[in-house]
Amino acid sequence: MKALRKFLDKKKPLFEKGGKYAKLQSTFEAFETFLFVPDITSKTGTHIKDAIDLKRTMSVVVLALFPALLFGMYNVGYQHFRSAGELAATGMFDLFLYGLIKVLPIIVVSYVVGLGIEFAFAQMRGHKVNEGFLVSGMLIPLIMPVEAPLWMVAVATAFAVVIGKEVFGGTGMNIWNPALVARAFFFFAYPSKMSGDAVWIADKADTFSGATPLAHAAALVGAKGEAATSIIEQHLSNTWDMFVGLIPGSIGETSTIAILIGALILIATGIGSWRIIVSVFAGGFVMGTLFNLLGSNSYMTLIPAWQHLVMGGFAFGAVFMATDPVSGTQTTRGKYIYGFLIGFLAVLIRVLNAGFPEAMMLAILLMNTFAPLIDHFVVQGNIKRRLKRVKVTA
Amino acid sequence: MSDKEPLFSAKNRKLLTNPLSAENPITVQVLGICSALAITAKLEPAIVMSLSVMAVTALANVIVSLLRNTIPSRIRIIVQLVVVAALVIVVDQVLKAFAYNVSKQLSVFVGLIITNCIIMGRLEAFALGNKPWPAFLDGIGNGAGYGVILIIVAFFRELLGSGTLYGFHVIPKVLYDMGYQNNGLMILPPMALITLGIIIWVHRSRNKGLIESN
């Protein structure tokens, strides 16, 4: 550690004003503060004191993503060998290794492209490099199908960083979650690689159906009586698999357990808002129950409300996407409203629009857009209430 | 005309060239956005649309400029609308007669040229107070400024969205075989808005004078 510190101190003057590499100052600064907590403290005004800065915050989120990531890698292998019919003959380590080899390139592409653009913009504008991409760069691979071509991942990431973030002024200024912008871009630009049955399992055997539970559920819309119950029995009865995550889907979204572990880390460290997470689940459950009671087709009536919460990207979105402190609401009451509407809309879109089986992305992006409005009305309401109190006592 | 100003004096040339960049109706004044979003998925309709708007702006400018001293100012908007509407119907008929396919692609948007803010804006701001020749140049200039942006947006949208330019395939088949795919989002209207936004972004960062202070 000391040697590293010494090395940095020795090189530092080169990057300061007048130094040989002064132009690369922000790049140097980014690495230095990544390795060591900066020793600069503010000198004027009142500031909140906390031991944790933005880089450390981001690292905790990345840590919280690891269970989902590791399980995702295992599941990639699991799904591949299951489709090939060689599941029994393959050891657990081999499953994981296969997944690792498949997933790692996507992660590398996401980070290289995203950080590359981030550094370039910081350099051009003379800003400090933003830390935000540390998390986005990990989120993007986790919400991609494993068969996503790398160049498409690169294009989607570039779009997300430039249009989702840099246009608005970088980390902290964006109105949408950049990772979801990447996914939305991917979904609309290259639908054949982001939906359907073929992309969720790596090197799927042709005879094997790779449909996700959501795709099976969507097939219920037109099915009646016998046909509907047979779909449920064949594909949707094994809730345990859905909960553990042994189902086809985007890399990191399948395992509700792994996501909940991440949620615990986020809540324990106070980084993710439990209010948002809980109310997203509540919203999804309420909408699901409404469908159960009033539904007019098999999808609405036969899928129990709680099953919506473990299918597809619902849990992942609730824990890692909706809680994004930048694009979400800030006020306490706003968080409940925002979260509830995300869950509510996600299930609504999912069931009513067959074109968007994975509605979590759209629901969160929509509510991201409305988050400032919700905050505005919560604050206004608060002001009004307090003004009334003033009148009574005066 | 009493003054012996040459047809293309420096002042008149400015009328032609200013709208191309510094006073561009789309990127600077942000007018005429709706049609710019609607018909830029392909180059061909975009070019035809630009020419139509250019023709209508120029001719409407000339006619209103000729009438400027006789139009009572209280009903000037109605008079302007009648002039523009008449011209748009002429353009629509010409397109139907000579470019039926494009006219079908443009569908309702030819008729909607009437509501294009650029035209009314130029009539109000320029034609009512200037002589026919400068008004004509101003119309051509603004039509061209509108057209340039339309064509730039359409160029990128058609190239990336359909892999073609003016209907011809330009992206080699080898690329498709290697796994390249057309970007489906480019064909959807939101991408026109984003492309336009990027053009405005690039334009303003190159012309610092255009950045509004807030």
Side-chain angles (χ1 to χ4, degrees), chain A residues 121 125 151-152 155 159 162-163 166-167 185 188-193, chain B residues 160 178-186 188 191 194-195 197-198 201:
Chain A
F121 265 94
R125 293 177 168 168
W151 73 269
M152 289 183 186
V155 172
F159 181 85
V162 175
I163 301 297
E166 293 303 336
V167 162
F185 177 84
F188 286 105
Y190 309 111
S192 68
K193 294 288 177 191
Chain B
L160 299 175
M178 281 161 63
Y180 177 80
Q181 276 194 11
N182 288 326
N183 188 326
L185 187 59
M186 272 294 180
L188 303 174
M191 209 55 196
I194 292 171
T195 316
I198 294 173
W201 183 19

Side-chain angles (χ1 to χ4, degrees), chain A residues 51-102:
Chain A
I52 191 162
D53 68 348
L54 196 52
K55 280 198 178 73
R56 261 38 73 171
T57 312
M58 295 297 181
S59 310
V60 172
V61 183
V62 172
L63 202 70
L65 281 166
F66 258 82
L69 174 70
L70 294 180
F71 187 87
M73 289 175 174
Y74 171 77
N75 189 42
V76 166
Y78 180 89
Q79 295 298 334
H80 166 72
F81 286 107
R82 192 166 80 115
S83 87
E86 298 163 7
L87 191 58
T90 322
M92 185 177 157
F93 185 71
D94 288 334
L95 294 183
F96 181 77
L97 201 66
Y98 181 85
L100 182 72
I101 292 168
K102 280 282 171 188

Side-chain angles (χ1 to χ4, degrees), chain A residues 110-111 114-115 118 130-137 140 157 161 165:
Chain A
S110 155
Y111 268 116
L115 286 178
E118 192 98 30
N130 294 317
E131 295 82 351
F133 197 76
L134 287 181
V135 170
S136 305
I140 290 173
T157 308
V161 176
K165 223 159 97 176

Side-chain angles (χ1 to χ4, degrees), chain A residues 88-306:
Chain A
T90 322
M92 185 177 157
F93 185 71
D94 288 334
L95 294 183
F96 181 77
L97 201 66
Y98 181 85
L100 182 72
I101 292 168
K102 280 282 171 188
V103 174
L104 209 56
I106 303 182
I107 299 178
V108 170
V109 165
S110 155
Y111 268 116
V112 167
V113 172
L115 286 178
I117 295 174
E118 192 98 30
F119 274 81
F121 265 94
Q123 214 65 260
M124 258 158 48
R125 293 177 168 168
H127 289 179
K128 292 182 176 174
V129 175
N130 294 317
E131 295 82 351
F133 197 76
L134 287 181
V135 170
S136 305
M138 186 54 88
L139 283 172
I140 290 173
L142 289 182
I143 50 176
M144 291 289 167
V146 63
E147 284 287 81
L150 292 179
W151 73 269
M152 289 183 186
V153 177
V155 172
T157 308
F159 181 85
V161 176
V162 175
I163 301 297
K165 223 159 97 176
E166 293 303 336
V167 162
F168 298 105
T171 304
M173 310 293 233
N174 45 308
I175 53 177
W176 300 299
N177 185 324
L180 279 181
V181 172
R183 194 180 200 274
F185 177 84
F186 200 124
F187 180 82
F188 286 105
Y190 309 111
S192 68
K193 294 288 177 191
M194 183 53 113
S195 45
D197 298 344
V199 296
W200 308 108
I201 299 178
D203 285 329
K204 180 175 75 71
D206 286 339
T207 48
F208 190 82
S209 157
T212 59
L214 281 174
H216 286 304
L220 281 174
V221 173
K224 283 208 173 69
E226 287 273 300
T229 43
S230 88
I231 291 181
I232 297 251
E233 267 168 27
Q234 274 180 20
H235 303 293
L236 295 168
S237 54
N238 199 341
T239 316
W240 178 245
D241 270 3
M242 289 185 205
F243 188 64
V244 175
L246 294 172
I247 46 172
S250 298
I251 294 167
E253 73 173 15
T254 58
S255 170
T256 312
I257 290 184
I259 291 163
L260 288 181
I261 296 173
L264 283 183
I265 298 177
L266 287 185
I267 295 172
T269 49
I271 288 170
S273 159
W274 62 268
R275 292 188 178 89
I276 293 181
I277 299 179
V278 168
S279 49
V280 172
F281 281 110
F285 190 77
V286 168
M287 189 67 231
T289 314
L290 278 180
F291 274 137
N292 284 166
L293 296 176
L294 311 167
S296 59
N297 65 37
S298 320
Y299 194 170
M300 298 180 190
T301 50
L302 292 182
I303 297 283
W306 50 267

